[in-house]
Amino acid sequence: MDDIIQGIAIYALPVIFAITLHEAAHGYVARHFGDLTAEKAGRISLNPLRHIDPFGTILLPLMLFLTSKLVMGNGLLFGWAKPVPVNFNQLRQPKKNMLWVAAAGPGANLLMAFFWAAIIKFGISVPDGIYTKPMILMGIAGIEINVILMVLNLLPLPPLDGGRIAVSLLPNRLAWKFAQIEPYGFAILLVLLISGALGAMLWPLITITKQMIVILFGLYV
């Protein structure tokens, strides 16, 4: 039980910030390119309460973490926040600007992974203290969560960010046809998850990305 409580304490902040900044980044970049929908809805904010989905951000991740910790010994996390509303038709150049709005979320996750790597680097460099180990463990959790969110969201499947990036890059006719997948995107993602295909596709990319961050920051913990 102590391990579970410690795990929740270590993962709570990284999860909240990973999801909050991901969504806020979409709204900020959409505003930059002319769409004020997210701003009018109060979603360009670092206040987690504006982005938290009670089920997707709190209940489901907590249930998955507790169940996987008890059954497998390793905490598994998966969740989502309330999507930031973006009206792509309000963008100055909708098809072109869509790429940057979509890429902003994964980009924010990459920057946060770098931030948590810097936290680990700092924790390694200072003398051992009461906060050193929790700091390093939180940094490890932060890298893992943000890399997973980044890689998952870059999957080229509408309505994920990678799907919108693909729509932006494809020629108009192909882009229109590809965008028609969006209503079925979540169901496809669920099938991939249950079948194990999603993990088979994503985990090699997640592992490689984490290894690159370790090498970049010289982390050996």
Side-chain angles (χ1 to χ4, degrees):
M1 182 60 71
D2 289 343
D3 288 344
I4 292 175
I5 294 173
Q6 183 186 49
I8 293 173
I10 287 170
Y11 275 87
L13 275 180
V15 167
I16 290 172
F17 280 115
I19 294 174
T20 296
L21 294 180
H22 177 106
E23 294 300 334
H26 285 312
Y28 178 81
V29 175
R31 182 180 67 183
H32 175 76
F33 285 109
D35 175 35
L36 302 180
T37 306
E39 183 176 49
K40 291 177 180 177
R43 297 296 304 281
I44 304 179
S45 171
L46 299 183
N47 180 358
L49 296 178
R50 294 186 180 274
H51 305 285
I52 286 175
D53 180 288
F55 180 75
T57 314
I58 299 175
L59 186 58
L60 178 62
L62 184 60
M63 290 170 56
L64 282 175
F65 184 84
L66 291 174
T67 303
S68 59
K69 193 77 173 176
L70 292 171
V71 174
M72 299 182 295
N74 295 316
L76 173 67
L77 279 172
F78 180 79
W80 59 84
K82 291 187 293 185
V84 164
V86 176
N87 185 345
F88 292 103
N89 292 324
Q90 295 295 321
L91 299 173
R92 285 189 285 273
Q93 299 181 65
K95 190 171 182 294
K96 181 179 179 180
N97 297 158
M98 180 190 299
L99 184 151
W100 301 109
V101 175
N109 289 129
L110 181 60
L111 291 177
M112 279 186 282
F114 289 165
F115 166 79
W116 288 112
I119 292 291
I120 297 174
K121 189 73 173 180
F122 176 76
I124 294 172
S125 65
V126 299
D128 286 340
I130 188 171
Y131 298 112
T132 306
K133 184 177 179 181
M135 183 190 304
I136 293 173
L137 291 175
M138 189 173 289
I140 293 171
I143 291 174
E144 182 172 355
I145 290 162
N146 280 287
V147 169
I148 289 173
L149 276 176
M150 181 186 72
V151 173
L152 173 63
N153 276 284
L154 286 175
L155 188 70
L157 175 67
L160 297 178
D161 297 327
R164 298 198 188 281
I165 291 172
V167 169
S168 176
L169 294 174
L170 287 170
N172 288 339
R173 181 174 293 184
L174 286 176
W176 183 84
K177 290 182 177 179
F178 188 66
Q180 305 309 303
I181 300 173
E182 183 162 337
Y184 314 102
F186 185 76
I188 294 171
L189 189 65
L190 191 60
V191 170
L192 292 174
L193 177 64
I194 293 172
S195 67
L198 186 64
M201 287 188 293
L202 298 186
W203 278 112
L205 297 173
I206 290 168
T207 301
I208 290 170
T209 305
K210 289 194 294 185
Q211 288 175 344
M212 290 176 63
I213 293 173
V214 166
I215 294 170
L216 180 63
F217 283 83
L219 303 178
Y220 305 99
V221 296

